[in-house]
Amino acid sequence: MRKSFRAAVVVAGVAVSVLATAPIAQAATPAPAACISASEERDWGRGEITACPLGNGRTQLTGWVEDLKPGGGWVTPDGYCVAWWLETGPNDGTHGVVFCPHIVPGGETRRDFDYPVTTARPVTALRLNIAAL
């Protein structure tokens, strides 16, 4: 009986030491998704954009946008801004880049950009849009 008790103590000690040296399992941190890109042209604007996830809800936006109807004021000829819409889920998103050359007539009609934005959810799609400002 004594030998079996000693054997049980030794086995228990070995098991505890193995468990103590085993690596602690950690929740896997999902790797950022791959970059996504879009290029669009409409009668009122055109451009290209690439969105690369940086982590922590931040996304780097790089590209350009051009207003093809900048006009001379708020309503001539179209009065809208050209914008890149960042989709972040079904029926959800935000304007990531908004360019309004009609506000300052005679200015540049093309804008290059390269900056990070923060969104509540990852960017899943990109599309050219108009915005009224």
Side-chain angles (χ1 to χ4, degrees), residues 12-61:
V14 169
V16 167
S17 66
V18 167
L19 289 175
T21 60
I24 297 172
Q26 296 180 354
T29 303
C35 297
I36 57 174
S37 296
S39 177
E40 289 189 38
E41 184 168 348
R42 308 278 176 91
D43 64 336
W44 39 263
R46 63 182 166 205
E48 295 178 1
I49 187 171
T50 298
C52 294
L54 300 172
N56 295 329
R58 293 169 38 100
T59 301
Q60 186 74 26
L61 302 179

Side-chain angles (χ1 to χ4, degrees), residues 9 54 77 96 111 125:
V9 169
L54 300 172
R111 170 81 39 95

Side-chain angles (χ1 to χ4, degrees), residues 39-102:
S39 177
E40 289 189 38
E41 184 168 348
R42 308 278 176 91
D43 64 336
W44 39 263
R46 63 182 166 205
E48 295 178 1
I49 187 171
T50 298
C52 294
L54 300 172
N56 295 329
R58 293 169 38 100
T59 301
Q60 186 74 26
L61 302 179
T62 307
W64 60 274
V65 64
E66 184 176 11
D67 191 334
L68 298 177
K69 294 184 179 180
W74 285 100
V75 293
T76 52
D78 69 344
Y80 290 105
C81 304
V82 179
W84 277 108
W85 180 255
L86 313 176
E87 292 184 19
T88 57
N91 303 316
D92 190 28
T94 185
H95 282 115
V97 178
V98 179
F99 180 50
C100 307
H102 63 277

